[in-house]
Amino acid sequence: MNDNINILAIESSCDETSAAIVQNGKVLSNQIATQKVHERYGGVVPEMASRAHIQNIIPVVDVAISDAGINKNDIIAVAFTQAPGLIGSLLVGTCFAKSFAQARNLPLIAVHHMQAHVLAHFIEAQPQFPFLCLTVSGGHTQIVLCRSYLDMEVLGETMDDAAGEAFDKVAKMLGLPYPGGPLVDKYAATGDAHRFKFPTNEMKNYSFSFSGIKTSVLYFLQAERKKDPEFAEKNMGDICASVQHTIIKVLMTKLEKAADDLGIKHIGIAGGVSANSGLRNALIKTGERKGWHVYIPAFQYCTDNAAMIGITAHYKYLQGAFTDLSATPSARASWS
Ligand code: KG4
Ligand code: ZN
């Protein structure tokens, strides 16, 4: 008799096809197939993402199960990302999870992708509640108050572009391939963050706006390229460092305000942009100054992965929060 809570988790919301096995809240395997096909288009092409998910999903699940050293028969529940994301991509993971669950008569667990980014912290650490998380990804920028594993509230979010989107769009203007965030990070390490100044929009409370930075970089590059067509190539380090510094300043100012207002000292960052070295350092520095306990996920749990879906599903399993075969994916889902 197998008493372990072995959950098969599937993540397919955007351009990573991922499967993980989480056993009793510990990650046994986390297989991720990154779709290279989008690079040449400068962004994710939804239809191509769906097709790649269809090709990848069975081999990725197969490897996740064998990597975990378990057998299909040991799995007792199946979890999948239900929302938010690209609808065609979500459909592939949802249909696979439903089919697997139905064929093996297993319970299904639907997971909210943004909630999973936050709970990725609990894979390797145990932040104390109440816990404040700045979730920064390609599609979202949110400050989330976590009262318990599944009781979360979005205190503020972006009114236009997400932080990751700002990184990617600036990278595209600089002629860098998609996704540009990691490359901006790399070039920023070689540049002077104070050489160029980019204005930011003042936003109320805990709201963010990144469209102003994007537009000011666009006009700045247009003007400089008129004088010297190779301006961006010659000043790549300084431009990337200055843009990165501006984005991080906006993020950290709001996070610090929220932490002060709520008197919370357990603070984390999550989502793809939490892989950014400048943001990671800024959190550590601010944490030292403010006496915070800071939480930074390991790199493999920052960007999209099924381990975070599995850990969220583990807590949902403990609460009996199952869904049935009528569950449908949603591109935009309200926080629940
Ligand atoms: O969480 P994620 O994998 O997917 C979404 O849920 O959107 O985040 C992807 C985003 C992309 O915009 C990517 O450029 C950004 O995270 N990103 C970074 C870094 N690594 C990933 N941005 C800045 N610096 C990085 N090192
Ligand atoms: Zn994500």
Side-chain angles (χ1 to χ4, degrees):
M1 172 70 187
N2 172 24
D3 289 331
N4 287 319
I5 304 173
N6 289 326
I7 298 176
L8 166 65
I10 313 284
E11 154 62 31
S12 72
S13 65
C14 191
D15 59 341
E16 325 272 1
T17 319
S18 182
I21 299 290
V22 172
Q23 181 176 79
N24 306 326
K26 296 267 165 284
V27 177
L28 295 189
S29 66
N30 182 39
Q31 190 64 27
I32 304 172
T34 301
Q35 302 176 1
K36 293 275 172 215
V37 64
H38 309 289
E39 257 172 30
R40 79 188 84 140
Y41 299 102
V44 178
V45 184
E47 177 60 23
M48 289 189 163
S50 312
R51 291 181 197 190
H53 283 306
I54 290 171
Q55 285 177 337
N56 293 343
I57 193 134
I58 291 175
V60 165
V61 168
D62 230 21
V63 176
I65 294 172
S66 60
D67 263 13
I70 64 161
N71 186 282
K72 270 207 293 283
N73 300 326
D74 299 325
I75 296 168
I76 65 159
V78 187
F80 64 99
T81 306
Q82 184 179 25
L86 300 172
I87 195 69
S89 295
L90 290 166
L91 263 170
V92 178
T94 304
C95 292
F96 181 91
K98 281 187 189 179
S99 313
F100 194 99
Q102 193 176 25
R104 308 191 70 82
N105 201 22
L106 299 174
L108 264 178
I109 302 170
V111 172
H112 191 292
H113 183 87
M114 298 313 292
Q115 192 168 37
H117 268 305
V118 175
L119 291 181
H121 282 290
F122 294 85
I123 294 173
E124 294 185 325
Q126 269 304 318
Q128 193 182 301
F129 297 115
F131 168 58
L132 205 56
C133 188
L134 171 71
T135 318
V136 267
S137 72
H140 295 80
T141 303
Q142 301 179 325
I143 293 183
V144 182
L145 165 64
C146 311
R147 297 187 188 90
S148 69
Y149 294 115
L150 301 177
D151 180 3
M152 298 185 192
E153 185 187 342
V154 178
L155 300 180
E157 57 194 328
T158 184
M159 295 292 119
D160 41 56
D161 292 351
E165 204 176 346
F167 270 104
D168 294 340
K169 285 180 177 169
V170 167
K172 197 170 178 183
M173 292 175 208
L174 292 169
L176 301 173
Y178 179 86
L183 292 167
V184 172
D185 190 359
K186 190 180 124 202
Y187 284 111
T190 68
D192 174 3
H194 301 284
R195 170 130 177 248
F196 305 115
K197 298 270 174 276
F198 299 109
T200 54
N201 297 348
E202 280 301 315
M203 300 298 289
K204 278 195 184 148
N205 303 322
Y206 312 122
S207 301
F208 298 93
S209 166
F210 291 102
S211 62
I213 299 176
K214 177 188 68 184
T215 312
S216 66
V217 175
L218 177 71
Y219 291 149
F220 166 75
L221 287 176
Q222 278 173 353
E224 293 297 334
R225 276 176 172 144
K226 273 192 192 139
K227 293 180 251 167
D228 176 2
E230 286 172 23
F231 174 80
E233 290 72 16
K234 288 179 187 162
N235 296 281
M236 193 63 89
D238 291 348
I239 301 168
C240 289
S242 302
V243 170
Q244 181 169 299
H245 173 76
T246 310
I247 294 173
I248 292 171
K249 202 165 160 214
V250 171
L251 293 171
M252 288 306 302
T253 304
K254 293 284 177 172
L255 183 60
E256 194 172 332
K257 175 174 165 42
D260 284 350
D261 291 352
L262 280 90
I264 295 178
K265 290 205 176 283
H266 288 255
I267 318 278
I269 50 174
V273 181
S274 66
N276 183 271
S277 52
L279 181 60
R280 293 165 91 91
N281 289 337
L283 182 69
I284 292 168
K285 265 197 180 164
T286 309
E288 281 167 4
R289 178 165 54 81
K290 306 284 296 186
W292 291 348
H293 301 264
V294 300
Y295 301 91
I296 300 175
F299 283 109
Q300 70 267 31
Y301 301 134
C302 290
T303 44
D304 290 349
N305 65 88
M308 68 184 193
I309 305 301
I311 193 85
T312 307
H314 176 78
Y315 295 114
K316 287 194 137 186
Y317 182 94
L318 296 180
Q319 292 200 2
F322 301 112
T323 187
D324 60 31
L325 290 170
S326 67
T328 49
S330 164
R332 292 179 177 277
S334 62
W335 190 271
S336 58

